[in-house]
Amino acid sequence: MLRGPGGPYLRTGQVAEQAGVNVQTLRYYERRGLIAEPARSPGGHRSYPPETVALLTVIKAAQRLGFTLEEVAELLDTGRRGHPTPDLRARAQAKILEVDAKIADLTTIRHALAQVVSAGCDSLTHCTCPDCPLPFADLAEGRFPKES
C-alpha cells in the first residue's frame, strides 16, 4: 500500500464513498483536471492521496453554492498558484447577483402560476375561465391583444 503525507493512499471506490460522489464523477473530475491524476499501485489500481477527499468535498460545496464546474476549476487554479486574490470574493458577489435575478424570475413565475390557479384556467389554448391571465388562448385563436 502506498503512503502519502496524509496517510495511506485510497483506491477509487474509497475516495468516491468518503467524498459522497460516484466513481464516474471522480473520473470525470480527473479528466477535467479538477483533481490530479492519481499514482498507480503496482497492480495498476489508481491510488489517490487522502487529500483528494477534502478537495472533492470543496468542489461539491462550491457547486451547491451555484458555481459551475468551469468556475470551480478557475477558482482552484487561482488557489493553486499560491497567490491570494480577491477572485473568490468577487465571484461570490457576482453569484449573489445571479441568485437574486433567479429569485426575481421565480417570483414572477410563481405569481403567474398563482393567477392561473385562482382564475381556474383549464387549458393553454381553449381556457374557459372568464378572466384568463394567460394570453395563449387568444393567440391560439389568432386574436392578438390590442396595443396601447
Side-chain angles (χ1 to χ4, degrees):
M1 174 182 298
L2 297 172
R3 291 191 64 80
Y9 276 64
L10 304 169
R11 293 178 74 171
T12 302
Q14 294 171 305
V15 172
E17 182 180 344
Q18 289 181 27
V21 300
N22 62 47
V23 172
Q24 291 82 10
T25 299
L26 179 61
R27 295 219 173 115
Y28 178 69
Y29 289 176
E30 185 182 320
R31 285 192 306 273
R32 293 273 317 251
L34 293 167
I35 61 172
E37 186 175 327
R40 297 283 181 155
S41 72
H45 298 285
R46 287 177 164 86
S47 296
Y48 294 89
E51 300 80 30
T52 305
V53 173
L55 180 56
L56 288 167
T57 303
V58 167
I59 292 168
K60 296 309 287 181
Q63 284 185 294
R64 282 192 302 279
L65 291 173
F67 290 101
T68 65
L69 277 182
E70 186 64 36
E71 291 169 329
V72 172
E74 290 171 8
L75 288 167
L76 289 173
D77 187 50
T78 299
R80 287 177 179 141
R81 283 189 244 129
H83 301 294
T85 67
D87 200 41
L88 175 59
R89 181 182 168 100
R91 287 177 184 251
Q93 288 170 330
K95 195 57 67 178
I96 288 170
L97 293 175
E98 283 181 37
V99 168
D100 288 344
K102 287 179 184 178
I103 289 171
D105 289 345
L106 289 172
T107 300
T108 300
I109 292 167
R110 187 191 189 293
H111 178 72
L113 289 171
Q115 285 182 315
V116 167
V117 170
S118 294
C121 295
D122 54 8
S123 171
L124 283 177
T125 57
H126 296 90
C127 187
T128 59
C129 73
D131 295 320
C132 182
L134 298 173
F136 306 116
D138 286 342
L139 293 175
E141 297 296 323
R143 297 187 307 263
F144 300 96
K146 294 178 184 170
E147 292 187 27
S148 323

